[in-house]
Amino acid sequence: MAFTGPSGATPRLSRRALLTGALLAGAVGLAPARPARAAETPQIRAAAAGWTGRGGELLVLTADALDTGYALRILEPGEAAEPGADVTGVLGPPLPLPLPDDFTPHSMAATGAVLWLTGARETAPGRVRPALLRIEDADSGYADLPVPKDIGAGLATAIAPMGEHGIAVAIEGGPDEHLTALSRSRLAVTADGGSTWAAGVLADGLGEGYGTVLAETDRGVFAAVADGDGTQTAATARLAEAGTPQLVLTPAGTYPGAGRPMAAVAADAHVSLFSDRDGAVTETRFTDDERTETAVGPAADCACRGEILAVPGRRGLWLETDGTTIHIRGIR
């Protein structure tokens, strides 16, 4: 895939990446700033679509003001005031979400009847490990996620569905089991619901990295990760077609000063990577043509109000939220 250039930037609320709320903020010793919002308004942490356990509806994971309580909710699209106008989302009431007491969620995706949640599992006071939770028929349990030995502490961050039973999961952290700094990023992929995995290295030497974003494409998964200085590294990944599960990673470029990746959204002919660059949002498009590098104009489909979240399981859809209003973008 080739870098085709950033779009025009729109000023927005600047903040550090929200990783896994208070749990990781305490472990790192860094409390992330957040957009101003009503004190009682649930804040969206992740979104997903396609879970047959809820009829394939658009779901969001919300957190309370202290990041101590999480809920699963349906996000209903409202009526646009006129053709082409913004569509806002309305949060439904909390749905049952069987989370273990030692688990803090980060992102989610669905494959049929299974809802997957990435996050961190507290193994001892002040110690967290990457974890993957599997929910089916109102029951939950930890999946056997292949956490590399060189990650002593960290969390599972981004997740993307891959086909009918497959998922890709970003596993991030560092070597020190007492310090949750995202200095390394790994990718684990399964095609059979977690029975077998293939893994590969996305990035090392990230310092205090900003986390990884993923997007399912027609030929595998797109990944982007940034170090603490905002240098982004992009790659594509797919499973080898035959033999023992093997992950094939193809670099898609390194881009200094690109900022914090917020969301990767796959469209029919490209992947849009939305990033926070010093308080402004940019959209970078990656295409299949590895030889073309062209600047694109302002992102007409991006209102860029606050944080942007991809919707795994719904191609071309993303959310924008300032902590109070939720805009649903990319609805066809």
Side-chain angles (χ1 to χ4, degrees):
M1 289 187 170
F3 171 73
T4 60
S7 74
T10 302
R12 62 180 291 276
L13 296 168
S14 178
R15 70 182 184 92
R16 281 299 307 259
L18 178 69
L19 296 176
T20 312
L23 176 63
L24 291 183
V28 177
L30 176 69
R34 298 190 188 136
R37 62 187 177 93
E40 300 301 321
T41 302
Q43 190 162 8
I44 296 178
R45 294 289 180 258
W51 185 32
T52 59
R54 287 299 311 181
E57 294 168 297
L58 175 56
L59 301 175
V60 292
L61 177 71
T62 62
D64 61 20
L66 298 178
D67 285 315
T68 56
Y70 297 89
L72 191 66
R73 302 170 187 266
I74 295 173
L75 183 64
E76 293 283 357
E79 294 291 335
E82 58 185 30
D86 282 359
V87 175
T88 57
V90 179
L91 288 174
L95 303 172
L97 183 62
L99 295 181
D101 292 338
D102 59 356
F103 179 73
T104 302
H106 181 279
S107 296
M108 62 181 182
T111 55
V114 179
L115 181 67
W116 304 90
L117 280 83
T118 62
R121 184 178 187 180
E122 189 174 17
T123 58
R127 299 182 185 180
V128 293
R129 294 276 290 167
L132 178 64
L133 196 68
R134 186 181 192 273
I135 298 178
E136 185 175 11
D137 296 329
D139 291 327
S140 65
Y142 285 110
D144 187 15
L145 186 67
V147 178
K149 294 181 179 180
D150 63 354
I151 293 184
L155 70 157
T157 54
I159 182 171
M162 291 183 66
E164 186 176 0
H165 302 292
I167 54 172
V169 179
I171 302 173
E172 306 188 73
D176 190 338
E177 64 179 11
H178 300 284
L179 178 64
T180 311
L182 305 190
S183 63
R184 300 169 177 176
S185 179
R186 307 290 185 256
L187 183 66
V189 175
T190 177
D192 53 18
S195 296
T196 58
W197 293 87
V201 175
L202 286 176
D204 282 311
L206 298 174
E208 187 189 331
Y210 281 106
T212 299
V213 295
L214 302 174
E216 181 190 18
T217 70
D218 291 336
R219 287 167 292 282
V221 66
F222 169 88
V225 59
D227 64 16
D229 294 325
T231 296
Q232 292 183 359
T233 299
T236 60
R238 62 177 178 82
L239 287 173
E241 296 181 358
T244 303
Q246 183 178 357
L247 190 62
V248 179
L249 283 167
T250 303
T254 299
Y255 308 102
R260 170 178 68 93
M262 292 189 291
V265 181
D268 292 336
H270 67 272
V271 174
S272 288
L273 176 60
F274 294 101
S275 303
D276 173 5
R277 182 185 296 169
D278 296 327
V281 171
T282 59
E283 179 196 17
T284 303
R285 294 187 177 186
F286 292 80
T287 70
D288 288 332
D289 190 344
E290 297 180 353
R291 300 173 185 171
T292 302
E293 184 172 322
T294 307
V296 298
D301 290 334
C302 180
C304 299
R305 300 181 177 95
E307 192 68 5
I308 296 179
L309 301 99
V311 183
R314 189 75 60 85
R315 186 71 64 90
L317 195 71
W318 72 93
L319 309 180
E320 297 167 15
T321 175
D322 59 7
T324 301
T325 304
I326 306 163
H327 298 267
I328 306 175
R329 310 292 293 177
I331 293 180
R332 300 177 181 180

